[in-house]
Amino acid sequence: MVKTRALRDELIEVAQGKRPADMLIKDGTVINVYSGEFLKQNIALYKDCIAYVGENEVTINDDTTVIDANGLYVSPGFIETHAHPWVVYNPVSVTEKVLPLGTTTTVNDNLFFYLHMGALGFKQLVDDLEKLPGNFFWLIRLVSQAIFPGEREWFNQKDIIDLLSLENVLGTAEVTRWPLLYNGDPVLLDIIDAAKKMGKVSDGHNAGCSYEKLNSIAASGISACHEAITAEEALDRLRLGLWTVLRNSSLRPDLSNIIKLITEGNVSTSRILMTTDGPHPSFIEKEGFVDGLVRQAVELGVPVMEAIQMVTINAATYLKQDDYIGGIAPGKKADILLLPDLDQFRPDLVISNGEIVAEKGKLTMQMPDIDWSKYLSEKPFTFSREILENPDLYIYPETSSSNSVPVIFFRSNVITQRKDLELPTKNGFVDLTDQEGLMYATLIHRNGEWVTKGILEKFAINLDGMASTFNTTTDLLTIGRNPEAMAKAAARVYEMGGGVVIVDGEEIILEIPLQLTGMMTTDPSFDKAVEFNDKLLSALQARGFPFHDILYTLLFLTCDFLPGLRLVPFGLYEVKTDKILVPSIPMTYLSNEIKA
């Protein structure tokens, strides 16, 4: 829930001229998202709230900050309802970037923080991040993005409901494995019911879900879905009462298609939102954040008022926070943007919680210094590094007399399909020496319990070896055509405590340290995250990676909800048939085999 410092009686006194305002915004054109009007008005702020909106003057004194907004548009701060603050950037660095762009509220997925910190550590993090400017809220995951042994014990009902009771938590996060909801998983349904009794939302992720199946998802209690990729799919969600979230992200820049729901469909936009859905750092640098959504929506023909309503009052209403955020009115939080035009939607001035926090795209305040070290695992890997240094760990075993191997063929950044190939073998292992475009892939459990193996096609051509903890499981994912190079990359990531390493021959050519849960840099600068993303993408494209979003390719190769073959903790998994094609191998057994 939004907290305010201003008392109700204080706001009443400012509105009546009995108490001086702390800030007065004069003569701006207020974008009234409640009435849909553009109104020339004054706005008086007291502490962190709005006290008055109208044409009258209010009492001021020498301490009142007076802002002349003549010629400017005064907008509510933008709201991102579905953020992932862990795409190489971290909560501090991404806030530093998006707050000057006008996003004053983000609602954030807690997945990797919870996976690594547990309930107690995550609570401490929530407390630490209260120091951030703007409104930084959370949604709580109910399951991971890839089932693993002991998952239900880790995501236990008691801890989840305890986290849902936190004031900065607004609901449950997306369930990417939506068949659990379709099949009526009793634990998930109980938690969603508990969230609703607390007055909180339940976010959804229903990729590829048909209209008929969406009926069951809606019945399960899910509040919203951002996974429509066509206008027709978006309309299905809208008609079934789901808050319909139009997405434009680095992985799925779908807005130009799904916006036709509005521009051609003539539907009410009162239950339509927009999201960037955790874009990679360079996308934000180039396209912006929520400001970019509004800009593109207007370019595509959505009326300005409706575009702004979708990322302000609609978003606040969905989140059940419209008593506090989402509009410019007395009693609301003073999250306000001064926009020079209604084309670019880049604010000249950003006010958050009644304070000026950014001007002309630059922060005007000091970001908090978070001590990430207390959240870093002392032992991100609990087995000996020597195991990783043996090249035999990374080659694919001969699994049948026919030499037919189920290969993970990449159709796009994240969609794969099964290809069965006859491959040569040598000494009981598949030999890729003369197989252009094929790569070994190995997922190694960070606690040394299991290893999953596969072979990739169309991931790269000339990649000797890479290793990465940036993936859905945050275990150690290695890919390459040269087992010696893969071993060197894996050993270096081990030494770094998490991150990405690429090796050519015997030379390490790229290192990206991501010690925070194996997913994030601890650097407070967003520019560092952009640099890391650009260097990684460039290095892999130079080695034959054919797609545009390497971070999401790595992230989702180890999930268990997208077509078609995946590397997961239980083995090489075929999503469509829900079958493990090649089981994972216990690390102890594998270590003994390697030593032998």
Side-chain angles (χ1 to χ4, degrees):
M1 187 180 78
V2 176
K3 300 176 183 177
T4 63
R5 290 183 290 109
L7 302 177
R8 296 294 180 187
D9 60 334
E10 294 173 333
L11 297 176
I12 291 171
E13 289 177 359
V14 173
Q16 295 175 359
K18 299 176 181 178
R19 179 188 292 262
D22 287 338
M23 186 180 296
L24 176 63
I25 303 171
K26 294 183 61 177
D27 298 327
T29 300
V30 175
I31 301 172
N32 191 309
V33 294
Y34 304 108
S35 65
E37 299 173 285
F38 296 89
L39 302 169
K40 192 85 167 180
Q41 292 178 318
N42 301 322
I43 303 170
L45 311 184
Y46 185 75
K47 293 183 179 177
D48 57 345
C49 289
I50 298 167
Y52 173 82
V53 181
E55 298 179 4
N56 290 343
E57 297 288 342
V58 296
T59 300
I60 62 174
N61 61 16
D62 291 342
D63 295 325
T64 303
T65 301
V66 179
I67 298 172
D68 183 1
N70 187 39
L72 299 175
Y73 296 91
V74 187
S75 170
F78 300 148
I79 301 170
E80 171 57 271
T81 62
H82 185 89
H84 299 290
W86 36 250
V87 188
V88 174
Y89 42 72
N90 60 58
V92 173
S93 62
V94 72
T95 300
E96 175 238 345
K97 180 63 180 180
V98 306
L99 190 59
L101 299 177
T103 299
T104 55
T105 298
T106 58
V107 186
N108 299 276
D109 166 25
N110 80 325
L111 177 60
F112 296 107
F113 304 103
Y114 181 76
L115 274 174
H116 281 255
M117 302 171 188
L120 180 59
F122 177 66
K123 280 185 176 181
Q124 293 173 343
L125 179 66
V126 170
D127 288 342
D128 276 352
L129 292 179
E130 281 200 23
K131 304 170 188 174
L132 284 173
N135 306 305
F136 200 88
F137 296 120
W138 295 95
L139 297 174
I140 302 301
R141 289 278 186 148
L142 308 185
V143 292
S144 72
Q145 292 190 160
I147 189 171
F148 60 87
E151 179 194 20
R152 277 299 171 93
E153 288 75 20
W154 192 254
F155 288 84
N156 67 82
Q157 190 167 351
K158 180 179 180 297
D159 282 346
I160 298 300
I161 291 178
D162 182 43
L163 293 179
L164 282 170
S165 68
L166 298 178
E167 286 188 342
N168 285 358
V169 170
L170 300 187
T172 66
E174 60 184 330
V175 178
T176 54
R177 289 145 54 193
W178 59 261
L180 290 170
L181 298 171
Y182 180 78
N183 293 320
D185 183 285
V187 174
L188 298 193
L189 297 186
D190 281 351
I191 296 174
I192 290 171
D193 272 346
K196 289 187 178 298
K197 289 176 182 176
M198 297 179 195
K200 303 194 176 188
V201 302
S202 290
D203 200 5
H205 172 118
N206 309 297
C209 190
S210 68
Y211 178 86
E212 295 302 324
K213 289 184 176 179
L214 276 171
N215 273 269
S216 298
I217 299 300
S220 75
I222 291 300
S223 310
C225 181
H226 61 281
E227 282 296 327
I229 60 175
T230 66
E232 292 76 15
E233 289 182 355
L235 186 58
D236 286 346
R237 286 150 175 77
L238 193 61
R239 284 173 169 168
L240 289 174
L242 295 174
W243 287 86
T244 303
V245 191
L246 311 185
R247 173 176 56 190
N248 202 66
S249 71
S250 58
L251 177 62
R252 296 306 310 246
D254 295 325
L255 195 62
S256 61
N257 189 2
I258 52 177
I259 206 72
K260 294 174 184 175
L261 172 72
I262 299 169
T263 57
E264 298 178 9
N266 196 31
V267 299
S268 167
T269 59
S270 63
R271 289 179 66 86
I272 299 178
L273 318 174
M274 293 192 288
T275 184
T276 60
D277 193 13
H280 66 60
S282 304
F283 181 91
I284 299 174
E285 183 68 26
K286 180 181 177 182
E287 303 290 340
F289 201 56
V290 177
D291 59 298
L293 296 172
V294 179
R295 182 163 54 251
Q296 188 173 356
V298 172
E299 288 174 355
L300 292 168
V302 176
V304 168
M305 181 62 73
E306 292 185 16
I308 291 178
Q309 285 170 330
M310 286 191 284
V311 299
T312 57
I313 188 58
N314 291 13
T317 303
Y318 158 63
L319 296 169
K320 304 182 189 299
Q321 300 300 313
D322 51 308
D323 275 350
Y324 300 95
I325 59 175
I328 295 174
K332 312 303 187 204
K333 283 288 283 291
D335 296 336
I336 295 171
L337 315 179
L338 299 188
L339 303 172
D341 57 58
L342 297 181
D343 299 313
Q344 295 302 307
F345 301 96
R346 290 285 176 95
D348 278 357
L349 194 74
V350 179
I351 297 168
S352 178
N353 295 318
E355 298 181 5
I356 296 172
V357 295
E359 291 187 64
K360 302 292 184 181
K362 301 293 183 182
L363 277 178
T364 57
M365 61 174 301
Q366 186 71 32
M367 293 293 283
D369 183 17
I370 303 297
D371 179 14
W372 295 116
S373 64
K374 67 183 179 182
Y375 297 108
L376 301 181
S377 171
E378 293 181 4
K379 292 184 177 180
F381 303 99
T382 59
F383 55 88
S384 170
R385 190 188 68 174
E386 293 177 356
I387 293 176
L388 297 176
E389 293 174 339
N390 192 316
D392 289 348
L393 178 65
Y394 307 97
I395 52 182
Y396 190 89
E398 181 180 1
T399 55
S400 69
S401 57
S402 66
N403 294 344
S404 179
V405 176
V407 171
I408 303 173
F409 177 81
F410 279 85
R411 290 171 44 199
S412 69
N413 272 285
V414 298
I415 302 300
T416 70
Q417 67 183 53
R418 175 176 177 173
K419 284 182 68 174
D420 291 289
L421 298 180
E422 299 283 336
L423 297 175
T425 61
K426 183 178 180 180
N427 299 326
F429 294 94
V430 170
D431 182 9
L432 298 183
T433 304
D434 299 318
Q435 305 298 312
E436 184 174 302
L438 296 184
M439 300 275 150
Y440 297 110
T442 307
L443 184 66
I444 303 166
H445 185 230
R446 62 174 47 246
N447 292 332
E449 295 179 9
W450 48 259
V451 176
T452 292
K453 296 191 174 189
I455 291 177
L456 312 182
E457 183 176 6
K458 205 182 172 183
F459 177 86
I461 298 173
N462 301 314
L463 175 64
D464 282 348
M466 74 171 291
S468 172
T469 54
F470 188 95
N471 65 78
T472 280
T473 65
T474 71
D475 294 306
L476 185 58
L477 173 66
T478 62
I479 300 171
R481 61 179 183 173
N482 182 331
E484 286 80 11
M486 295 168 70
K488 185 160 190 172
R492 181 57 186 143
V493 170
Y494 183 107
E495 293 171 351
M496 291 163 51
V500 185
V501 170
I502 297 179
V503 173
D504 273 352
E506 297 183 357
E507 180 185 0
I508 294 175
I509 59 101
L510 180 65
E511 290 186 356
I512 297 175
L514 303 174
Q515 294 100 333
L516 186 54
T517 77
M519 301 290 292
M520 290 162 276
T521 173
T522 56
D523 197 300
S525 170
F526 187 82
D527 291 342
K528 180 59 70 174
V530 173
E531 176 191 336
F532 283 161
N533 178 76
D534 289 348
K535 285 183 175 179
L536 178 60
L537 180 61
S538 177
L540 283 173
Q541 286 182 334
R543 288 156 181 78
F545 180 72
F547 307 114
H548 69 280
D549 196 338
I550 181 59
L551 292 180
Y552 274 90
T553 298
L554 295 173
L555 184 71
F556 286 149
L557 178 56
T558 62
C559 74
D560 59 10
F561 57 87
L562 289 171
L565 299 191
R566 304 282 154 183
L567 298 172
V568 302
F570 288 101
L572 179 61
Y573 176 62
E574 186 170 41
V575 176
K576 183 177 181 180
T577 61
D578 191 26
K579 290 182 179 178
I580 297 294
L581 303 181
V582 182
S584 58
I585 304 167
M587 176 73 92
T588 51
Y589 168 79
L590 196 58
S591 299
N592 292 334
E593 288 289 301
I594 291 172
K595 291 175 183 177

